[in-house]
Amino acid sequence: MKKKSSIGINELYQKYPEEADKLLWGRESNKNSRRGFLKKGALMFMGSILGGKVVFGEHMPANLIPAGIFDLQDGPIQGKHPGLLVLNDRPVNAETPAHLLDDFQTPADVLFVRNNGIPPQNINPQSWTLSIEGESVNQKKTYTLEELKSRFQHYSYHLTLECGGNGRSEFNPPAKGNQWTTGAVGCPKWTGVRLKDVLNDVGIKSDAVYIGYYGKDTHLSGDPDKVVISRGVPISKAMEDESLIAWAINDEELPLMNGNPLRLVFGGWPASTSGKWLSKIVVRNKVHDGPKMTGYSYRVPCKPVAPGAKVPEEEMCIIESMPVKSLITYPKSGGMLKLGRELQIRGKAWAGDLLVKKLQVSIDFGKTWQDAKLNPPPNRLSWQSWEAKVKFPEKGYFEVWAKATDSMGISQPMIVPGWNPRGYLNNACHRIAIRVT
Ligand SMILES: Nc1nc2c(c(=O)[nH]1)N[C@H]1C(S)=C(S)[C@@H](COP(=O)(O)O)O[C@H]1N2
Ligand SMILES: [Mo]
């Protein structure tokens, strides 16, 4: 059975109406009764939640959810925006519709969630520790969260976090896994300490080639000894200025679902490298080999293959920097516009370790392109905002397409690129529908 705390109020009422009433109203009711027999105390308690006396409370049927409760809810996922699209609820996976990514700094409650296991319960930041160990450290060292915050300088960076499988739903033949459309991406401001400062404080050996992370989430099987996911990055990426051990998003503590109280953030690389609920980092003298680091996980064929091809394991390569990509975040797809009026368009563009140097839009399915105004990023590895104005020549159905080009001159493809067995790295152009009337 599902944990009740992990389901929404509607589902709770459908599955456990009596218990739900008890939870909400503070005492038991009878399925067919009204709430009239509830004690005054329960009604007053409910009133305090709803912001006023429930005037005709005694007439309200039992097992009916007060409508005002919905306004108080933060959606089906703890601490997250109700507009997220839930792809899976065990483990929790939810993506962000493009129009909710219009802020330059992605709000914490809007950032997508990709869990491979079950987030830890009852987190106590006071007793949280991070250990640095592995064959390539001189000596294991453990820091409390407080020590990390007090002993090292704090840095904030806008860092783009994108799941390697973002866009997977478009591959054909289909790839198994979360069927992300466009929303497994975001770019909040992250605050923490530099991973390199901590690694230098511990002292790493000259044979170090990779780091790997371990988090406090638990395996879906319930086996406490089974590691959910343990990935990492080469030591060169770990030692970059922007590689953070972070405890804050947009100056607030991390949402539980995004790794509270501590996580890694490697901007521009598959977000699977950014370990959540971080409790241990290992410094390795070889490529890290934790769960989901090997085999077909987060790897693509080293050389392009035909769609549906069987690829031997040894011909799969680890994904590093993510490819150039963009989103149209305003307007929302499906809007209408009066003929003759100009349409304001806005969006974001990012390119892994690189800069985006050009953003173009098209209203004729890519036949012609018009340059958008592209803004510089506030720091390396941040996405960039862009805006454009377009005019439509006549009434009818149009699509607006956006195409970004990186500093190496590589552009987004207009259709789904490079099929691969697990459906990673789809950076095809984003498009929205507009009806001109
Ligand atoms: N401990 C832990 N870290 C993790 C994961 C996880 O399941 N457990 N998922 C990874 C994957 S695959 C992605 S895409 C990102 C998602 O980060 P977010 O949920 O904060 O958006 O976290 C990564 N870090
Ligand atoms: Mo991911």
Side-chain angles (χ1 to χ4, degrees):
M1 195 180 78
K2 253 182 214 160
K3 283 207 192 74
K4 266 163 264 161
S5 61
S6 69
I7 71 177
I9 195 157
N10 278 310
E11 204 182 337
L12 183 68
Y13 260 91
Q14 274 161 23
K15 293 193 175 152
Y16 320 97
E18 261 87 341
E19 283 180 65
D21 251 17
K22 192 172 163 188
L23 246 170
L24 227 58
W25 294 84
R27 49 165 299 189
E28 261 157 289
S29 66
N30 174 318
K31 205 181 266 162
N32 303 311
S33 81
R34 296 193 174 277
R35 288 201 167 102
F37 80 100
L38 287 173
K39 276 206 190 116
K40 229 177 152 185
L43 275 173
M44 274 173 60
F45 168 69
M46 206 55 208
S48 71
I49 291 177
L50 294 171
K53 180 182 162 201
V54 184
V55 176
F56 295 111
E58 71 274 22
H59 301 316
M60 192 184 202
N63 305 324
L64 187 70
I65 311 166
I69 290 280
F70 293 112
D71 307 340
L72 308 169
Q73 268 200 290
D74 57 5
I77 305 171
Q78 195 179 340
K80 303 298 285 189
H81 192 282
L84 292 193
L85 210 78
V86 179
L87 304 182
N88 190 353
D89 65 357
R90 191 189 153 84
V92 175
N93 286 285
E95 68 171 300
T96 318
H99 69 276
L100 290 182
L101 292 172
D102 197 42
D103 296 294
F104 183 73
Q105 197 168 297
T106 306
D109 67 335
V110 152
L111 185 65
F112 76 100
V113 177
R114 198 293 184 240
N115 291 346
N116 290 268
I118 308 297
Q121 306 284 315
N122 310 317
I123 290 161
N124 179 0
Q126 264 78 51
S127 58
W128 194 274
T129 58
L130 172 66
S131 305
I132 315 288
E133 48 196 273
E135 62 266 12
S136 292
V137 299
N138 295 330
Q139 205 181 359
K140 174 183 166 173
K141 211 160 173 173
T142 299
Y143 303 90
T144 64
L145 189 51
E146 237 4 87
E147 281 169 340
L148 282 177
K149 289 183 180 179
S150 60
R151 294 204 24 204
F152 300 95
Q153 190 168 340
H154 299 186
Y155 293 90
S156 294
Y157 296 105
H158 298 258
L159 300 171
T160 309
L161 194 71
E162 182 180 20
C163 178
N166 195 21
R168 175 178 294 132
S169 64
E170 287 190 298
F171 280 106
N172 196 10
K176 283 201 196 110
N178 286 298
Q179 296 300 300
W180 304 110
T181 65
T182 59
V185 64
C187 185
K189 185 182 84 177
W190 304 91
T191 300
V193 294
R194 283 179 173 159
L195 174 58
K196 74 168 180 188
D197 289 350
V198 177
L199 293 181
N200 286 335
D201 185 64
V202 175
I204 60 173
K205 296 185 189 164
S206 58
D207 66 351
V209 299
Y210 231 87
I211 67 107
Y213 69 74
Y214 290 86
K216 284 278 185 201
D217 43 345
T218 49
H219 199 267
L220 290 173
S221 64
D223 181 345
D225 298 325
K226 231 171 159 181
V227 174
V228 177
I229 180 171
S230 174
R231 305 198 68 245
V233 297
I235 205 77
S236 55
K237 178 71 177 173
M239 293 307 229
E240 284 182 0
D241 285 354
E242 300 84 359
S243 294
L244 290 184
I245 301 174
W247 56 77
I249 284 186
N250 306 335
D251 303 314
E252 284 175 33
E253 68 173 49
L254 302 172
L256 168 68
M257 291 295 160
N258 301 104
N260 183 282
L262 199 64
R263 77 175 299 171
L264 286 168
V265 188
F266 296 109
W269 281 43
S272 52
T273 58
S274 296
K276 302 192 281 187
W277 309 291
L278 183 68
S279 62
K280 184 164 81 177
I281 291 172
V282 286
V283 185
R284 308 294 313 269
N285 62 11
K286 58 175 187 177
V287 176
H288 183 55
D289 52 2
K292 307 216 178 204
M293 205 54 236
T294 57
Y296 289 81
S297 296
Y298 303 99
R299 292 180 185 227
V300 290
C302 306
K303 288 186 192 129
V305 299
K310 273 218 146 66
V311 189
E313 225 178 281
E314 59 282 5
E315 287 169 28
M316 299 290 289
C317 284
I318 300 173
I319 301 167
E320 298 195 328
S321 175
M322 295 286 286
V324 61
K325 200 163 173 178
S326 60
L327 273 181
I328 301 166
T329 58
Y330 181 87
K332 194 173 162 176
S333 185
M336 294 220 277
L337 185 80
K338 273 227 155 66
L339 181 64
R341 295 195 50 185
E342 226 173 22
L343 181 67
Q344 261 283 335
I345 315 169
R346 291 193 294 266
K348 307 290 184 300
W350 60 98
D353 283 339
L354 303 176
L355 261 181
V356 179
K357 75 157 195 231
K358 189 160 69 176
L359 192 294
Q360 298 164 291
V361 295
S362 174
I363 59 163
D364 54 13
F365 301 102
K367 187 161 177 270
T368 62
W369 295 91
Q370 146 191 351
D371 281 350
K373 177 176 180 279
L374 175 68
N375 299 307
N379 55 255
R380 238 192 111 226
L381 312 179
S382 163
W383 70 13
Q384 295 163 243
S385 61
W386 59 267
E387 57 202 57
K389 280 186 184 135
V390 293
K391 266 194 140 166
F392 299 90
E394 57 183 288
K395 294 178 182 176
Y397 173 90
F398 290 88
E399 290 191 4
V400 180
W401 291 15
K403 179 173 74 172
T405 302
D406 70 23
S407 49
M408 303 272 277
I410 296 173
S411 299
Q412 288 183 259
M414 273 165 282
I415 52 164
V416 185
W419 183 92
N420 61 89
R422 291 285 173 90
Y424 298 118
L425 307 185
N426 173 10
N427 66 335
C429 289
H430 183 219
R431 51 211 179 92
I432 60 165
I434 298 288
R435 278 170 198 83
V436 178
T437 59

